[in-house]
PDB file of all heavy atoms in Angstrom:
ATOM      1  N   ILE A1470     113.836 142.802  40.757  1.00 98.00           N
ATOM      2  CA  ILE A1470     113.988 143.687  41.931  1.00 98.00           C
ATOM      3  C   ILE A1470     112.620 144.241  42.162  1.00 98.00           C
ATOM      4  O   ILE A1470     112.008 144.908  41.337  1.00 98.00           O
ATOM      5  CB  ILE A1470     114.982 144.815  41.641  1.00 98.00           C
ATOM      6  CG1 ILE A1470     116.362 144.296  41.261  1.00 98.00           C
ATOM      7  CG2 ILE A1470     115.098 145.773  42.844  1.00 98.00           C
ATOM      8  CD1 ILE A1470     117.259 145.289  40.547  1.00 98.00           C
ATOM      9  N   VAL A1471     112.087 144.022  43.366  1.00 98.00           N
ATOM     10  CA  VAL A1471     110.739 144.510  43.769  1.00 98.00           C
ATOM     11  C   VAL A1471     110.849 145.381  45.018  1.00 98.00           C
ATOM     12  O   VAL A1471     111.560 144.983  45.995  1.00 98.00           O
ATOM     13  CB  VAL A1471     109.765 143.382  43.908  1.00 98.00           C
ATOM     14  CG1 VAL A1471     110.222 142.379  44.906  1.00 98.00           C
ATOM     15  CG2 VAL A1471     108.327 143.877  44.314  1.00 98.00           C
ATOM     16  N   CYS A1472     110.221 146.545  44.950  1.00 98.00           N
ATOM     17  CA  CYS A1472     110.341 147.461  46.085  1.00 98.00           C
ATOM     18  C   CYS A1472     109.034 148.064  46.405  1.00 98.00           C
ATOM     19  O   CYS A1472     108.093 148.088  45.551  1.00 98.00           O
ATOM     20  CB  CYS A1472     111.374 148.525  45.839  1.00 98.00           C
ATOM     21  SG  CYS A1472     110.796 149.763  44.600  1.00 98.00           S
ATOM     22  N   GLY A1473     108.926 148.652  47.575  1.00 98.00           N
ATOM     23  CA  GLY A1473     107.765 149.360  47.891  1.00 98.00           C
ATOM     24  C   GLY A1473     107.254 149.199  49.345  1.00 98.00           C
ATOM     25  O   GLY A1473     107.857 148.486  50.177  1.00 98.00           O
ATOM     26  N   ASP A1474     106.141 149.816  49.661  1.00 98.00           N
ATOM     27  CA  ASP A1474     105.416 149.680  50.888  1.00 98.00           C
ATOM     28  C   ASP A1474     104.666 148.340  50.828  1.00 98.00           C
ATOM     29  O   ASP A1474     103.608 148.312  50.181  1.00 98.00           O
ATOM     30  CB  ASP A1474     104.497 150.895  51.088  1.00 98.00           C
ATOM     31  CG  ASP A1474     103.669 150.784  52.398  1.00 98.00           C
ATOM     32  OD1 ASP A1474     103.772 149.766  53.101  1.00 98.00           O
ATOM     33  OD2 ASP A1474     102.878 151.711  52.624  1.00 98.00           O
ATOM     34  N   MET A1475     105.078 147.364  51.528  1.00 98.00           N
ATOM     35  CA  MET A1475     104.454 146.089  51.518  1.00 98.00           C
ATOM     36  C   MET A1475     103.503 145.802  52.689  1.00 98.00           C
ATOM     37  O   MET A1475     102.942 144.765  52.829  1.00 98.00           O
ATOM     38  CB  MET A1475     105.458 144.972  51.391  1.00 98.00           C
ATOM     39  CG  MET A1475     106.314 145.080  50.127  1.00 98.00           C
ATOM     40  SD  MET A1475     107.299 143.622  49.785  1.00 98.00           S
ATOM     41  CE  MET A1475     107.896 144.033  48.136  1.00 98.00           C
ATOM     42  N   ASN A1476     103.386 146.882  53.469  1.00 98.00           N
ATOM     43  CA  ASN A1476     102.384 146.910  54.546  1.00 98.00           C
ATOM     44  C   ASN A1476     102.432 145.635  55.499  1.00 98.00           C
ATOM     45  O   ASN A1476     101.399 145.112  55.848  1.00 98.00           O
ATOM     46  CB  ASN A1476     100.956 147.110  53.967  1.00 98.00           C
ATOM     47  CG  ASN A1476     100.528 148.552  54.054  1.00 98.00           C
ATOM     48  OD1 ASN A1476     100.655 149.111  55.016  1.00 98.00           O
ATOM     49  ND2 ASN A1476      99.957 149.024  52.925  1.00 98.00           N
ATOM     50  N   VAL A1477     103.636 145.198  55.754  1.00 98.00           N
ATOM     51  CA  VAL A1477     103.775 144.099  56.675  1.00 98.00           C
ATOM     52  C   VAL A1477     105.189 144.156  57.354  1.00 98.00           C
ATOM     53  O   VAL A1477     106.150 144.488  56.641  1.00 98.00           O
ATOM     54  CB  VAL A1477     103.595 142.702  55.971  1.00 98.00           C
ATOM     55  CG1 VAL A1477     104.691 142.498  54.903  1.00 98.00           C
ATOM     56  CG2 VAL A1477     103.618 141.582  57.042  1.00 98.00           C
ATOM     57  N   ALA A1478     105.179 143.999  58.671  1.00 98.00           N
ATOM     58  CA  ALA A1478     106.440 143.868  59.380  1.00 98.00           C
ATOM     59  C   ALA A1478     106.622 142.352  59.540  1.00 98.00           C
ATOM     60  O   ALA A1478     105.848 141.657  60.166  1.00 98.00           O
ATOM     61  CB  ALA A1478     106.314 144.538  60.759  1.00 98.00           C
ATOM     62  N   HIS A1479     107.671 141.834  58.906  1.00 98.00           N
ATOM     63  CA  HIS A1479     107.762 140.384  58.736  1.00 98.00           C
ATOM     64  C   HIS A1479     107.964 139.677  60.083  1.00 98.00           C
ATOM     65  O   HIS A1479     107.327 138.681  60.429  1.00 98.00           O
ATOM     66  CB  HIS A1479     108.925 140.064  57.813  1.00 98.00           C
ATOM     67  CG  HIS A1479     109.013 138.622  57.527  1.00 98.00           C
ATOM     68  ND1 HIS A1479     110.186 137.940  57.167  1.00 98.00           N
ATOM     69  CD2 HIS A1479     108.096 137.629  57.419  1.00 98.00           C
ATOM     70  CE1 HIS A1479     109.975 136.684  56.989  1.00 98.00           C
ATOM     71  NE2 HIS A1479     108.757 136.412  57.133  1.00 98.00           N
ATOM     72  N   ASN A1480     108.927 140.197  60.850  1.00 98.00           N
ATOM     73  CA  ASN A1480     109.244 139.529  62.128  1.00 98.00           C
ATOM     74  C   ASN A1480     109.152 140.536  63.279  1.00 98.00           C
ATOM     75  O   ASN A1480     109.104 141.746  63.085  1.00 98.00           O
ATOM     76  CB  ASN A1480     110.681 138.895  62.041  1.00 98.00           C
ATOM     77  CG  ASN A1480     110.697 137.779  61.116  1.00 98.00           C
ATOM     78  OD1 ASN A1480     109.861 136.819  61.165  1.00 98.00           O
ATOM     79  ND2 ASN A1480     111.664 137.784  60.163  1.00 98.00           N
ATOM     80  N   GLU A1481     109.274 139.968  64.499  1.00 98.00           N
ATOM     81  CA  GLU A1481     109.123 140.892  65.723  1.00 98.00           C
ATOM     82  C   GLU A1481     110.187 142.001  65.734  1.00 98.00           C
ATOM     83  O   GLU A1481     109.914 143.022  66.272  1.00 98.00           O
ATOM     84  CB  GLU A1481     109.165 140.028  67.007  1.00 98.00           C
ATOM     85  CG  GLU A1481     107.878 139.143  67.145  1.00 98.00           C
ATOM     86  CD  GLU A1481     107.772 138.570  68.534  1.00 98.00           C
ATOM     87  OE1 GLU A1481     108.704 138.712  69.310  1.00 98.00           O
ATOM     88  OE2 GLU A1481     106.707 137.951  68.790  1.00 98.00           O
ATOM     89  N   ILE A1482     111.341 141.659  65.169  1.00 98.00           N
ATOM     90  CA  ILE A1482     112.408 142.644  65.190  1.00 98.00           C
ATOM     91  C   ILE A1482     112.036 143.887  64.281  1.00 98.00           C
ATOM     92  O   ILE A1482     112.607 144.968  64.446  1.00 98.00           O
ATOM     93  CB  ILE A1482     113.729 142.013  64.668  1.00 98.00           C
ATOM     94  CG1 ILE A1482     114.911 142.982  64.903  1.00 98.00           C
ATOM     95  CG2 ILE A1482     113.621 141.692  63.152  1.00 98.00           C
ATOM     96  CD1 ILE A1482     116.258 142.318  64.547  1.00 98.00           C
ATOM     97  N   ASP A1483     110.979 143.704  63.494  1.00 98.00           N
ATOM     98  CA  ASP A1483     110.705 144.689  62.472  1.00 98.00           C
ATOM     99  C   ASP A1483     109.633 145.767  62.964  1.00 98.00           C
ATOM    100  O   ASP A1483     109.132 146.541  62.160  1.00 98.00           O
ATOM    101  CB  ASP A1483     110.178 144.048  61.187  1.00 98.00           C
ATOM    102  CG  ASP A1483     111.271 143.311  60.529  1.00 98.00           C
ATOM    103  OD1 ASP A1483     112.438 143.809  60.421  1.00 98.00           O
ATOM    104  OD2 ASP A1483     111.039 142.139  60.073  1.00 98.00           O
ATOM    105  N   LEU A1484     109.281 145.751  64.258  1.00 98.00           N
ATOM    106  CA  LEU A1484     108.368 146.765  64.804  1.00 98.00           C
ATOM    107  C   LEU A1484     108.714 146.915  66.262  1.00 98.00           C
ATOM    108  O   LEU A1484     109.221 146.031  66.929  1.00 98.00           O
ATOM    109  CB  LEU A1484     106.926 146.504  64.573  1.00 98.00           C
ATOM    110  CG  LEU A1484     106.202 145.332  65.319  1.00 98.00           C
ATOM    111  CD1 LEU A1484     104.681 145.518  65.196  1.00 98.00           C
ATOM    112  CD2 LEU A1484     106.617 143.966  64.870  1.00 98.00           C
ATOM    113  N   LYS A1485     108.357 148.076  66.827  1.00 97.00           N
ATOM    114  CA  LYS A1485     108.757 148.430  68.138  1.00 97.00           C
ATOM    115  C   LYS A1485     107.980 147.591  69.178  1.00 97.00           C
ATOM    116  O   LYS A1485     108.538 147.195  70.157  1.00 97.00           O
ATOM    117  CB  LYS A1485     108.484 149.920  68.407  1.00 97.00           C
ATOM    118  CG  LYS A1485     109.016 150.458  69.707  1.00 97.00           C
ATOM    119  CD  LYS A1485     110.531 150.437  69.718  1.00 97.00           C
ATOM    120  CE  LYS A1485     111.049 151.055  70.965  1.00 97.00           C
ATOM    121  NZ  LYS A1485     112.550 151.134  71.027  1.00 97.00           N
ATOM    122  N   ASN A1486     106.687 147.401  68.997  1.00 94.00           N
ATOM    123  CA  ASN A1486     105.850 146.772  69.944  1.00 94.00           C
ATOM    124  C   ASN A1486     105.108 145.581  69.400  1.00 94.00           C
ATOM    125  O   ASN A1486     103.891 145.559  69.235  1.00 94.00           O
ATOM    126  CB  ASN A1486     104.791 147.788  70.537  1.00 94.00           C
ATOM    127  CG  ASN A1486     105.504 148.954  71.224  1.00 94.00           C
ATOM    128  OD1 ASN A1486     106.283 148.778  72.088  1.00 94.00           O
ATOM    129  ND2 ASN A1486     105.218 150.150  70.733  1.00 94.00           N
ATOM    130  N   PRO A1487     105.838 144.444  69.134  1.00 97.00           N
ATOM    131  CA  PRO A1487     105.222 143.252  68.534  1.00 97.00           C
ATOM    132  C   PRO A1487     104.140 142.629  69.435  1.00 97.00           C
ATOM    133  O   PRO A1487     103.144 142.110  68.960  1.00 97.00           O
ATOM    134  CB  PRO A1487     106.388 142.355  68.266  1.00 97.00           C
ATOM    135  CG  PRO A1487     107.424 142.760  69.253  1.00 97.00           C
ATOM    136  CD  PRO A1487     107.280 144.263  69.376  1.00 97.00           C
ATOM    137  N   ALA A1488     104.339 142.647  70.745  1.00 94.00           N
ATOM    138  CA  ALA A1488     103.457 141.871  71.645  1.00 94.00           C
ATOM    139  C   ALA A1488     102.010 142.351  71.546  1.00 94.00           C
ATOM    140  O   ALA A1488     101.087 141.581  71.701  1.00 94.00           O
ATOM    141  CB  ALA A1488     103.960 141.987  73.086  1.00 94.00           C
ATOM    142  N   THR A1489     101.833 143.658  71.284  1.00 93.00           N
ATOM    143  CA  THR A1489     100.459 144.197  71.325  1.00 93.00           C
ATOM    144  C   THR A1489      99.871 144.369  69.929  1.00 93.00           C
ATOM    145  O   THR A1489      98.818 144.935  69.772  1.00 93.00           O
ATOM    146  CB  THR A1489     100.445 145.574  71.981  1.00 93.00           C
ATOM    147  OG1 THR A1489     101.389 146.466  71.340  1.00 93.00           O
ATOM    148  CG2 THR A1489     100.854 145.468  73.463  1.00 93.00           C
ATOM    149  N   ASN A1490     100.604 143.796  68.940  1.00 94.00           N
ATOM    150  CA  ASN A1490     100.155 144.077  67.540  1.00 94.00           C
ATOM    151  C   ASN A1490      99.856 142.769  66.712  1.00 94.00           C
ATOM    152  O   ASN A1490      99.673 142.884  65.522  1.00 94.00           O
ATOM    153  CB  ASN A1490     101.137 144.921  66.812  1.00 94.00           C
ATOM    154  CG  ASN A1490     101.023 146.383  67.165  1.00 94.00           C
ATOM    155  OD1 ASN A1490     100.084 147.030  66.765  1.00 94.00           O
ATOM    156  ND2 ASN A1490     102.043 146.936  67.826  1.00 94.00           N
ATOM    157  N   HIS A1491      99.731 141.669  67.365  1.00 92.00           N
ATOM    158  CA  HIS A1491      99.576 140.418  66.606  1.00 92.00           C
ATOM    159  C   HIS A1491      98.246 140.324  65.881  1.00 92.00           C
ATOM    160  O   HIS A1491      98.060 139.523  64.968  1.00 92.00           O
ATOM    161  CB  HIS A1491      99.723 139.221  67.517  1.00 92.00           C
ATOM    162  CG  HIS A1491     101.106 138.863  67.741  1.00 92.00           C
ATOM    163  ND1 HIS A1491     101.887 138.142  66.867  1.00 92.00           N
ATOM    164  CD2 HIS A1491     101.974 139.134  68.832  1.00 92.00           C
ATOM    165  CE1 HIS A1491     103.147 137.933  67.373  1.00 92.00           C
ATOM    166  NE2 HIS A1491     103.202 138.597  68.497  1.00 92.00           N
ATOM    167  N   GLU A1492      97.277 141.151  66.209  1.00 92.00           N
ATOM    168  CA  GLU A1492      95.939 141.218  65.521  1.00 92.00           C
ATOM    169  C   GLU A1492      95.772 142.506  64.734  1.00 92.00           C
ATOM    170  O   GLU A1492      94.682 142.821  64.384  1.00 92.00           O
ATOM    171  CB  GLU A1492      94.813 140.906  66.515  1.00 92.00           C
ATOM    172  CG  GLU A1492      94.880 139.561  67.121  1.00 92.00           C
ATOM    173  CD  GLU A1492      93.709 139.266  68.079  1.00 92.00           C
ATOM    174  OE1 GLU A1492      92.783 140.095  68.113  1.00 92.00           O
ATOM    175  OE2 GLU A1492      93.738 138.200  68.679  1.00 92.00           O
ATOM    176  N   SER A1493      96.873 143.266  64.640  1.00 96.00           N
ATOM    177  CA  SER A1493      96.793 144.539  63.910  1.00 96.00           C
ATOM    178  C   SER A1493      97.127 144.322  62.433  1.00 96.00           C
ATOM    179  O   SER A1493      97.937 143.512  62.033  1.00 96.00           O
ATOM    180  CB  SER A1493      97.788 145.477  64.522  1.00 96.00           C
ATOM    181  OG  SER A1493      97.519 145.735  65.958  1.00 96.00           O
ATOM    182  N   ALA A1494      96.559 145.232  61.635  1.00 97.00           N
ATOM    183  CA  ALA A1494      96.933 145.218  60.228  1.00 97.00           C
ATOM    184  C   ALA A1494      98.407 145.456  60.048  1.00 97.00           C
ATOM    185  O   ALA A1494      98.957 146.389  60.675  1.00 97.00           O
ATOM    186  CB  ALA A1494      96.176 146.318  59.505  1.00 97.00           C
ATOM    187  N   GLY A1495      99.065 144.688  59.256  1.00 97.00           N
ATOM    188  CA  GLY A1495     100.539 144.770  59.058  1.00 97.00           C
ATOM    189  C   GLY A1495     101.370 143.862  59.928  1.00 97.00           C
ATOM    190  O   GLY A1495     102.584 143.744  59.665  1.00 97.00           O
ATOM    191  N   PHE A1496     100.712 143.199  60.897  1.00 98.00           N
ATOM    192  CA  PHE A1496     101.440 142.263  61.722  1.00 98.00           C
ATOM    193  C   PHE A1496     100.652 140.987  62.102  1.00 98.00           C
ATOM    194  O   PHE A1496     100.945 140.259  63.007  1.00 98.00           O
ATOM    195  CB  PHE A1496     102.014 142.854  62.955  1.00 98.00           C
ATOM    196  CG  PHE A1496     103.151 142.088  63.644  1.00 98.00           C
ATOM    197  CD1 PHE A1496     104.305 141.892  63.000  1.00 98.00           C
ATOM    198  CD2 PHE A1496     102.961 141.601  64.947  1.00 98.00           C
ATOM    199  CE1 PHE A1496     105.320 141.121  63.608  1.00 98.00           C
ATOM    200  CE2 PHE A1496     103.990 140.882  65.567  1.00 98.00           C
ATOM    201  CZ  PHE A1496     105.138 140.672  64.878  1.00 98.00           C
ATOM    202  N   SER A1497      99.583 140.828  61.345  1.00 97.00           N
ATOM    203  CA  SER A1497      98.733 139.611  61.561  1.00 97.00           C
ATOM    204  C   SER A1497      99.481 138.369  61.090  1.00 97.00           C
ATOM    205  O   SER A1497     100.396 138.455  60.235  1.00 97.00           O
ATOM    206  CB  SER A1497      97.408 139.717  60.775  1.00 97.00           C
ATOM    207  OG  SER A1497      97.645 139.614  59.340  1.00 97.00           O
ATOM    208  N   ASP A1498      99.191 137.275  61.663  1.00 96.00           N
ATOM    209  CA  ASP A1498      99.846 136.021  61.225  1.00 96.00           C
ATOM    210  C   ASP A1498      99.620 135.745  59.782  1.00 96.00           C
ATOM    211  O   ASP A1498     100.554 135.248  59.084  1.00 96.00           O
ATOM    212  CB  ASP A1498      99.241 134.825  62.066  1.00 96.00           C
ATOM    213  CG  ASP A1498      99.611 134.899  63.516  1.00 96.00           C
ATOM    214  OD1 ASP A1498     100.533 135.629  63.912  1.00 96.00           O
ATOM    215  OD2 ASP A1498      98.917 134.194  64.359  1.00 96.00           O
ATOM    216  N   GLU A1499      98.460 136.068  59.249  1.00 97.00           N
ATOM    217  CA  GLU A1499      98.147 135.820  57.845  1.00 97.00           C
ATOM    218  C   GLU A1499      99.020 136.633  56.932  1.00 97.00           C
ATOM    219  O   GLU A1499      99.625 136.135  55.935  1.00 97.00           O
ATOM    220  CB  GLU A1499      96.675 136.115  57.593  1.00 97.00           C
ATOM    221  CG  GLU A1499      95.700 135.180  58.262  1.00 97.00           C
ATOM    222  CD  GLU A1499      95.242 135.726  59.669  1.00 97.00           C
ATOM    223  OE1 GLU A1499      95.975 136.588  60.167  1.00 97.00           O
ATOM    224  OE2 GLU A1499      94.229 135.269  60.124  1.00 97.00           O
ATOM    225  N   GLU A1500      99.160 137.890  57.242  1.00 98.00           N
ATOM    226  CA  GLU A1500     100.025 138.836  56.389  1.00 98.00           C
ATOM    227  C   GLU A1500     101.535 138.381  56.399  1.00 98.00           C
ATOM    228  O   GLU A1500     102.163 138.303  55.438  1.00 98.00           O
ATOM    229  CB  GLU A1500      99.862 140.224  56.844  1.00 98.00           C
ATOM    230  CG  GLU A1500      98.568 140.824  56.522  1.00 98.00           C
ATOM    231  CD  GLU A1500      98.249 142.104  57.309  1.00 98.00           C
ATOM    232  OE1 GLU A1500      98.443 142.114  58.532  1.00 98.00           O
ATOM    233  OE2 GLU A1500      97.831 143.064  56.729  1.00 98.00           O
ATOM    234  N   ARG A1501     101.987 138.064  57.634  1.00 98.00           N
ATOM    235  CA  ARG A1501     103.349 137.649  57.790  1.00 98.00           C
ATOM    236  C   ARG A1501     103.624 136.310  57.064  1.00 98.00           C
ATOM    237  O   ARG A1501     104.693 136.130  56.515  1.00 98.00           O
ATOM    238  CB  ARG A1501     103.662 137.559  59.294  1.00 98.00           C
ATOM    239  CG  ARG A1501     103.616 138.867  59.985  1.00 98.00           C
ATOM    240  CD  ARG A1501     103.669 138.733  61.497  1.00 98.00           C
ATOM    241  NE  ARG A1501     104.944 138.175  61.918  1.00 98.00           N
ATOM    242  CZ  ARG A1501     105.116 137.580  63.079  1.00 98.00           C
ATOM    243  NH1 ARG A1501     104.111 137.389  63.966  1.00 98.00           N
ATOM    244  NH2 ARG A1501     106.334 137.129  63.383  1.00 98.00           N
ATOM    245  N   GLU A1502     102.610 135.437  57.095  1.00 98.00           N
ATOM    246  CA  GLU A1502     102.794 134.185  56.444  1.00 98.00           C
ATOM    247  C   GLU A1502     102.874 134.307  54.906  1.00 98.00           C
ATOM    248  O   GLU A1502     103.740 133.678  54.222  1.00 98.00           O
ATOM    249  CB  GLU A1502     101.602 133.263  56.763  1.00 98.00           C
ATOM    250  CG  GLU A1502     101.723 131.863  56.042  1.00 98.00           C
ATOM    251  CD  GLU A1502     100.490 131.003  56.343  1.00 98.00           C
ATOM    252  OE1 GLU A1502      99.520 131.395  56.921  1.00 98.00           O
ATOM    253  OE2 GLU A1502     100.631 129.783  55.982  1.00 98.00           O
ATOM    254  N   LYS A1503     102.051 135.258  54.344  1.00 98.00           N
ATOM    255  CA  LYS A1503     102.145 135.492  52.896  1.00 98.00           C
ATOM    256  C   LYS A1503     103.495 136.054  52.525  1.00 98.00           C
ATOM    257  O   LYS A1503     104.028 135.721  51.487  1.00 98.00           O
ATOM    258  CB  LYS A1503     100.991 136.388  52.491  1.00 98.00           C
ATOM    259  CG  LYS A1503      99.676 135.808  52.595  1.00 98.00           C
ATOM    260  CD  LYS A1503      99.432 134.663  51.588  1.00 98.00           C
ATOM    261  CE  LYS A1503      98.021 134.217  51.633  1.00 98.00           C
ATOM    262  NZ  LYS A1503      97.740 133.028  50.781  1.00 98.00           N
ATOM    263  N   PHE A1504     104.040 136.986  53.322  1.00 98.00           N
ATOM    264  CA  PHE A1504     105.330 137.532  53.069  1.00 98.00           C
ATOM    265  C   PHE A1504     106.446 136.467  53.099  1.00 98.00           C
ATOM    266  O   PHE A1504     107.292 136.429  52.256  1.00 98.00           O
ATOM    267  CB  PHE A1504     105.633 138.726  54.072  1.00 98.00           C
ATOM    268  CG  PHE A1504     106.864 139.478  53.638  1.00 98.00           C
ATOM    269  CD1 PHE A1504     106.791 140.515  52.739  1.00 98.00           C
ATOM    270  CD2 PHE A1504     108.116 139.244  54.298  1.00 98.00           C
ATOM    271  CE1 PHE A1504     107.939 141.156  52.353  1.00 98.00           C
ATOM    272  CE2 PHE A1504     109.173 139.915  53.941  1.00 98.00           C
ATOM    273  CZ  PHE A1504     109.122 140.979  52.951  1.00 98.00           C
ATOM    274  N   GLY A1505     106.351 135.608  54.055  1.00 98.00           N
ATOM    275  CA  GLY A1505     107.244 134.503  54.199  1.00 98.00           C
ATOM    276  C   GLY A1505     107.183 133.589  52.979  1.00 98.00           C
ATOM    277  O   GLY A1505     108.243 133.108  52.458  1.00 98.00           O
ATOM    278  N   MET A1506     105.945 133.336  52.439  1.00 98.00           N
ATOM    279  CA  MET A1506     105.796 132.543  51.270  1.00 98.00           C
ATOM    280  C   MET A1506     106.478 133.174  50.076  1.00 98.00           C
ATOM    281  O   MET A1506     107.053 132.507  49.165  1.00 98.00           O
ATOM    282  CB  MET A1506     104.316 132.364  50.943  1.00 98.00           C
ATOM    283  CG  MET A1506     103.635 131.416  51.943  1.00 98.00           C
ATOM    284  SD  MET A1506     101.841 131.362  51.716  1.00 98.00           S
ATOM    285  CE  MET A1506     101.718 130.569  50.093  1.00 98.00           C
ATOM    286  N   LEU A1507     106.393 134.526  49.947  1.00 98.00           N
ATOM    287  CA  LEU A1507     107.083 135.244  48.869  1.00 98.00           C
ATOM    288  C   LEU A1507     108.591 135.048  48.954  1.00 98.00           C
ATOM    289  O   LEU A1507     109.259 134.765  47.923  1.00 98.00           O
ATOM    290  CB  LEU A1507     106.734 136.683  48.900  1.00 98.00           C
ATOM    291  CG  LEU A1507     107.356 137.611  47.839  1.00 98.00           C
ATOM    292  CD1 LEU A1507     107.068 137.115  46.467  1.00 98.00           C
ATOM    293  CD2 LEU A1507     106.892 139.010  48.040  1.00 98.00           C
ATOM    294  N   LEU A1508     109.108 135.209  50.190  1.00 98.00           N
ATOM    295  CA  LEU A1508     110.584 134.965  50.256  1.00 98.00           C
ATOM    296  C   LEU A1508     111.012 133.527  49.930  1.00 98.00           C
ATOM    297  O   LEU A1508     111.974 133.314  49.237  1.00 98.00           O
ATOM    298  CB  LEU A1508     111.053 135.279  51.748  1.00 98.00           C
ATOM    299  CG  LEU A1508     110.857 136.758  52.159  1.00 98.00           C
ATOM    300  CD1 LEU A1508     111.335 136.915  53.586  1.00 98.00           C
ATOM    301  CD2 LEU A1508     111.525 137.697  51.292  1.00 98.00           C
ATOM    302  N   GLU A1509     110.165 132.553  50.424  1.00 98.00           N
ATOM    303  CA  GLU A1509     110.463 131.128  50.149  1.00 98.00           C
ATOM    304  C   GLU A1509     110.325 130.813  48.694  1.00 98.00           C
ATOM    305  O   GLU A1509     110.958 129.855  48.234  1.00 98.00           O
ATOM    306  CB  GLU A1509     109.516 130.272  50.945  1.00 98.00           C
ATOM    307  CG  GLU A1509     109.708 130.342  52.431  1.00 98.00           C
ATOM    308  CD  GLU A1509     108.658 129.685  53.261  1.00 98.00           C
ATOM    309  OE1 GLU A1509     107.689 129.119  52.596  1.00 98.00           O
ATOM    310  OE2 GLU A1509     108.648 129.744  54.493  1.00 98.00           O
ATOM    311  N   ALA A1510     109.626 131.665  47.920  1.00 98.00           N
ATOM    312  CA  ALA A1510     109.489 131.391  46.508  1.00 98.00           C
ATOM    313  C   ALA A1510     110.700 131.878  45.691  1.00 98.00           C
ATOM    314  O   ALA A1510     110.768 131.630  44.496  1.00 98.00           O
ATOM    315  CB  ALA A1510     108.210 132.145  45.953  1.00 98.00           C
ATOM    316  N   GLY A1511     111.682 132.448  46.371  1.00 98.00           N
ATOM    317  CA  GLY A1511     112.945 132.781  45.664  1.00 98.00           C
ATOM    318  C   GLY A1511     113.354 134.235  45.767  1.00 98.00           C
ATOM    319  O   GLY A1511     114.058 134.720  44.858  1.00 98.00           O
ATOM    320  N   PHE A1512     112.933 134.942  46.865  1.00 98.00           N
ATOM    321  CA  PHE A1512     113.350 136.357  47.014  1.00 98.00           C
ATOM    322  C   PHE A1512     114.095 136.563  48.289  1.00 98.00           C
ATOM    323  O   PHE A1512     113.848 135.900  49.311  1.00 98.00           O
ATOM    324  CB  PHE A1512     112.117 137.243  46.927  1.00 98.00           C
ATOM    325  CG  PHE A1512     111.572 137.310  45.528  1.00 98.00           C
ATOM    326  CD1 PHE A1512     110.565 136.405  45.107  1.00 98.00           C
ATOM    327  CD2 PHE A1512     111.966 138.228  44.640  1.00 98.00           C
ATOM    328  CE1 PHE A1512     110.031 136.493  43.841  1.00 98.00           C
ATOM    329  CE2 PHE A1512     111.497 138.271  43.310  1.00 98.00           C
ATOM    330  CZ  PHE A1512     110.493 137.427  42.924  1.00 98.00           C
ATOM    331  N   THR A1513     114.966 137.648  48.295  1.00 98.00           N
ATOM    332  CA  THR A1513     115.716 137.944  49.482  1.00 98.00           C
ATOM    333  C   THR A1513     115.412 139.372  49.928  1.00 98.00           C
ATOM    334  O   THR A1513     115.316 140.276  49.140  1.00 98.00           O
ATOM    335  CB  THR A1513     117.288 137.871  49.102  1.00 98.00           C
ATOM    336  OG1 THR A1513     117.566 136.535  48.701  1.00 98.00           O
ATOM    337  CG2 THR A1513     118.156 138.343  50.260  1.00 98.00           C
ATOM    338  N   ASP A1514     115.165 139.513  51.203  1.00 98.00           N
ATOM    339  CA  ASP A1514     114.954 140.856  51.839  1.00 98.00           C
ATOM    340  C   ASP A1514     116.347 141.474  51.953  1.00 98.00           C
ATOM    341  O   ASP A1514     117.169 141.032  52.845  1.00 98.00           O
ATOM    342  CB  ASP A1514     114.318 140.608  53.252  1.00 98.00           C
ATOM    343  CG  ASP A1514     114.159 141.915  54.067  1.00 98.00           C
ATOM    344  OD1 ASP A1514     114.647 142.916  53.642  1.00 98.00           O
ATOM    345  OD2 ASP A1514     113.505 141.811  55.077  1.00 98.00           O
TER     346      ASP A1514
END
């Protein structure tokens, strides 16, 4: 069980204004990809 501030909004549903934040810390493609990789490695949000 892992918890905490992971400093990433995974999908567009997870923040109010996704369109203007694709290059912002916490919603960059790179950060979202790493979070996706963690889930694909065997974890459930």
